[in-house]
Every structure is written in C-alpha cells, then in structure tokens.
Amino acid sequence: MVPYSIYFGLFKSLINILSYILTPFEFTSSEISIAGIYNYIIGELPLVFALFSTGMIPIIINKYKRHKLIVNFLLLCSSALLVCILLAAETESPYIVYIVTALTGFFLMPIVPIMFELACDAIFPLGASFAVGGMYIGSTLTSVIGN
C-alpha cells in the first residue's frame, strides 16, 4: 500500500504542475491539453493508450503468473517516461511530448488494478475496502504534501 501511495501521490503532484513546467518551452495550452497534462486531468492520448494496455496486461499476467515482476517492470518504465517528459519538453516538439505521454499512460495505468489486488491479498483478514481506502488516502496525502 505504501509504494502505491507514494508513487501515485507523486504522479498526481507532477500532473498538477506539469503545465507550468511545459509553458516556458513555448507549448500552447491546446498542445498541452492534447498531451493530457493541462487543467489537472490526464487527457486524451494517455487515456487511449491506457485503455489498450489495461486490456492487454491482464492477459500477460494470467499467462505468466508473475504479478510482482510485471508491476516492477511497469513502474520502472513509467518512472523513466515521467522523467522523459521533461527531456522531451526541451526539444520543443509537441509530437515527442505526445509520444512520451502516450507511453506513460500505456505503462502507468495497468499498475492500478494489479496493485489493488496485491494490497487486498496482503491484508487478507481485513476487507478489501481497507486496502483500497488506505491506498487512496495515502496517494492523496502524498499529492498534497508534494504540491
């Protein structure tokens, strides 16, 4: 529960300030909104790629039964891509930022149901609502502290 809280809390913080980070690189607000990082929402491109990956990753998990390995791989890839968003902004090409944010959505969003399942298994005698509630509260608190 703690890794989820820290990771997604910091991700929410980054999403909240990313439009301010990209503005000095002369991105317009429409370019930023297409990348999905304007007005505190995760927008179009990452969402489309996330929908595709959340349909594909469970098939891989059911085939190989390696939850933790897959979560670690997805966390590593999405963390690297979050850093790459800033590097892509320096190129001042909106298309590179679009590609990086789309890939971030692809690797980031399938982690959520996997981590919920792992957290529910970890606190088994307690109900699943404790795990999910604790994870949401933790990520919100981390986001507030990060901002």
Side-chain angles (χ1 to χ4, degrees), residues 13 16 52 61 77 87 109 117 125 141:
S13 297
N16 287 340
F52 176 71
I61 289 174
C77 290
L87 298 174
M109 297 323 265
E117 182 180 345
L141 288 175

Side-chain angles (χ1 to χ4, degrees), residues 27-137:
F27 286 96
T28 65
S29 56
S30 63
E31 289 171 338
I32 294 172
S33 67
I34 290 172
I37 45 185
Y38 189 70
N39 289 336
Y40 307 104
I41 60 170
I42 300 173
E44 299 88 12
L45 266 161
L47 185 59
V48 169
F49 279 79
L51 288 173
F52 176 71
S53 67
T54 52
M56 187 178 76
I57 297 295
I59 295 169
I60 294 170
I61 289 174
N62 286 335
K63 183 175 182 178
Y64 296 107
K65 307 286 188 213
R66 308 289 258 156
H67 290 79
K68 290 182 183 179
L69 179 66
I70 292 171
V71 167
N72 288 337
F73 174 74
L74 293 172
L75 284 172
L76 179 67
C77 290
S78 60
S79 298
L81 286 165
L82 287 172
V83 172
C84 287
I85 289 174
L86 300 176
L87 298 174
E90 291 181 5
T91 66
E92 296 183 5
S93 169
Y95 299 108
I96 294 174
V97 174
Y98 297 162
I99 291 168
V100 172
T101 55
L103 288 173
T104 302
F106 181 85
F107 286 108
L108 184 66
M109 297 323 265
I111 298 171
V112 175
I114 300 168
M115 299 238 349
F116 282 162
E117 182 180 345
L118 290 174
C120 292
D121 289 344
I123 65 162
F124 172 66
L126 298 175
S129 60
F130 288 107
V132 174
M135 292 168 79
Y136 275 124
I137 289 170

Side-chain angles (χ1 to χ4, degrees), residues 13-36:
S13 297
L14 179 65
I15 292 301
N16 287 340
I17 64 169
L18 206 51
S19 62
Y20 300 111
I21 293 172
L22 291 179
T23 302
F25 294 106
E26 299 184 16
F27 286 96
T28 65
S29 56
S30 63
E31 289 171 338
I32 294 172
S33 67
I34 290 172

